[in-house]
Amino acid sequence: MAPQGKVYRGSVKDFQGFDANQDAEALYNAMKGFGSDKEAILDLITSRSNKQRVEICQAYKSLYGKDLIADLKYELTGKFERLIVSLMRPPAYGDAKEIKDAISGVGTDEKCLIEILASRTNQEIHDLVAAYKDAYQRDLEADIVGDTSGHFKKMLVVLLQGAREEDDVVSEDLVEQDAKDLLEAGELKWGTDEAQFIYILGRRSRQHLRLVFDEYLKIAGKPIERSIRGELSGDFEKLMLAVVKCIRSKAEYFAERLYKAMKGLGTRDNTLIRIMVSRSEIDMLDIREVFRTKYEKSLYNMIKEDTSGVQAKTSTAAYSGISSLLVHCFYLHIYLTKSHHLLLVAKPTEERKSGSC
């Protein structure tokens, strides 16, 4: 699953002995008749990789002439449905659906737009744009332009081009010039030259920008983040801060997003589901490690604690008509504690033996 030469840091691997037709039949039987065997659906889907789930969808259509995702939507409800359906979509189509939801209807979910567009690679952006066009017969850039405004819109459009430089060779002279240009565009200028921030942070390579941030700290006496907070505002400020965080460490950015999704009263379920699903085959192991170091609590335990109080109701949760949120929490709890092939948080062997993470 990992690109050649890179170590795989996702928490999901291909299921050994995989048989798409057999899995398609098992899912069909789990949804046949009155009601559905939700635990069987959960256990099967969460123990397969995304590539394997796509093959199951194809096999299901070949065997039964039906769309598996449509059948899952019909059989399931609430957040549990959202979790399972999210797992079934290829990554680019998952991102496309999240963005479509973020800009549909009244208002815009700017946090979702920021999270996706600030964190994806050039290739992931290109795949997203193509998937959006294929799924909705609409142009993603045009839809985002129509739903956003100002410098926030301009930076989103820059990110949507998927044109960030990828050259690992860094020019020291250009690093110094970019750091100086950022300082002069903000701290040393009456007002702010937002275009300079957009150009440099939206186009330069990640390796280059990390060195620019170091140089900026030297000449400005403060980190670039502090200057962004002082010079920019609103959603544009949040977007630029997210870009900087992702340049520095995507794992730390997503660890923080997950912590905030579960901190305080209630859980931001859509954010939790989106991140756990989208990063499960990319860098979930890194996110888990950063989360534990930064917050002195394991991601596994925080999710378990965040769904506490539901365990006593699990015997009736699937059948008693309680709220979709409790159903979601119930199955997420099963998912984290009972599955032999954990997708969301893969616990290392020694932690499984000790019962803690």
Side-chain angles (χ1 to χ4, degrees):
M1 289 182 189
Q4 191 170 7
K6 292 188 177 182
V7 177
Y8 180 67
R9 296 297 293 165
S11 57
V12 179
K13 297 181 180 179
D14 288 338
F15 183 77
Q16 298 301 310
F18 171 68
D19 185 321
N21 288 335
Q22 183 177 314
D23 285 351
E25 182 178 357
L27 288 173
Y28 178 81
N29 290 332
M31 294 185 284
K32 187 170 62 175
F34 181 75
S36 56
D37 187 342
K38 295 178 178 62
E39 189 167 348
I41 294 170
L42 185 76
D43 287 343
L44 191 152
I45 289 176
T46 58
S47 63
R48 306 303 188 261
S49 67
N50 185 265
K51 178 173 66 71
Q52 290 175 331
R53 292 182 214 117
V54 171
E55 291 182 34
I56 294 170
C57 286
Q58 295 167 345
Y60 192 90
K61 182 163 284 188
S62 296
L63 289 172
Y64 305 109
K66 302 173 71 178
D67 183 89
L68 176 55
I69 290 180
D71 281 359
L72 288 168
K73 285 182 177 180
Y74 180 80
E75 292 290 335
L76 309 176
T77 59
K79 300 302 180 181
F80 182 48
E81 175 207 329
R82 189 179 185 93
L83 171 63
I84 293 299
V85 171
S86 294
L87 289 167
M88 299 306 298
R89 292 192 178 101
Y93 285 83
D95 282 349
K97 179 62 166 62
E98 291 291 330
I99 287 185
K100 185 70 166 61
D101 289 348
I103 60 178
S104 295
V106 179
T108 304
D109 184 352
E110 291 87 0
K111 290 182 180 179
C112 175
L113 294 181
I114 290 170
E115 177 193 303
I116 292 175
L117 296 182
S119 66
R120 297 328 189 229
T121 65
N122 286 346
Q123 188 58 56
E124 288 168 344
I125 291 291
H126 297 157
D127 292 343
L128 161 61
V129 171
Y132 191 91
K133 183 74 171 180
D134 180 54
Y136 306 111
Q137 291 76 54
R138 298 179 64 87
D139 180 74
L140 178 54
E141 182 178 325
D143 282 356
I144 285 182
V145 167
D147 211 65
T148 57
S149 61
H151 298 297
F152 178 60
K153 174 182 71 176
K154 292 175 184 177
M155 185 60 176
L156 290 177
V157 170
V158 168
L159 295 174
L160 269 175
Q161 306 316 301
R164 184 177 296 284
E165 297 165 359
E166 297 181 324
D167 191 353
D168 288 333
V169 178
V170 177
S171 164
E172 290 184 14
D173 290 341
L174 186 56
V175 166
E176 292 176 1
Q177 186 61 52
D178 280 349
K180 179 182 176 184
D181 288 346
L182 286 172
L183 183 61
E184 292 178 349
E187 296 285 346
L188 301 183
K189 185 179 180 65
W190 181 260
T192 306
D193 183 356
E194 292 89 355
Q196 192 71 274
F197 278 85
I198 290 172
Y199 179 78
I200 294 174
L201 296 182
R203 296 299 298 273
R204 299 297 194 221
S205 73
R206 296 178 185 280
Q207 181 61 29
H208 174 87
L209 285 174
R210 290 187 187 112
L211 296 177
V212 169
F213 299 158
D214 291 342
E215 180 65 21
Y216 187 91
L217 179 61
K218 290 179 186 177
I219 64 175
K222 63 175 71 173
I224 187 69
E225 291 92 336
R226 191 184 303 173
S227 292
I228 288 174
R229 292 188 182 96
E231 297 295 326
L232 311 180
S233 62
D235 292 324
F236 181 46
E237 173 196 342
K238 294 173 185 174
L239 173 57
M240 299 305 262
L241 286 172
V243 169
V244 171
K245 288 176 183 177
C246 287
I247 293 296
R248 290 191 187 278
S249 169
K250 288 185 184 180
E252 187 166 350
Y253 171 72
F254 283 111
E256 182 180 327
R257 289 280 293 156
L258 286 169
Y259 181 78
K260 289 182 177 179
M262 293 179 283
K263 181 184 176 183
L265 185 63
T267 302
R268 297 167 183 82
D269 300 281
N270 291 350
T271 300
L272 178 63
I273 292 171
R274 180 175 61 247
I275 296 175
M276 301 305 275
V277 171
S278 68
R279 308 312 293 184
S280 63
E281 297 189 29
I282 299 176
D283 54 3
M284 183 51 65
L285 298 183
D286 294 328
I287 293 169
R288 188 192 67 189
E289 290 175 5
V290 169
F291 192 98
R292 180 162 190 156
T293 300
K294 188 170 183 178
Y295 301 109
E296 300 181 335
K297 178 180 293 189
S298 75
L299 179 56
Y300 173 82
N301 282 335
M302 187 156 184
I303 292 176
K304 193 165 70 168
E305 288 170 13
D306 208 55
T307 60
S308 65
V310 181
Q311 188 171 10
K313 304 171 185 173
T314 56
S315 61
T316 58
Y319 311 104
S320 65
I322 64 171
S323 73
S324 61
L325 177 58
L326 287 183
V327 173
H328 158 60
C329 290
F330 165 42
Y331 281 105
L332 187 55
H333 178 74
I334 290 177
Y335 184 80
L336 290 169
T337 57
K338 293 177 68 175
S339 174
H340 295 297
H341 303 277
L342 293 179
L343 171 66
L344 300 186
V345 184
K347 295 172 66 182
T349 303
E350 62 271 16
E351 288 171 346
R352 288 199 298 269
K353 288 179 179 177
S354 67
S356 62
C357 184

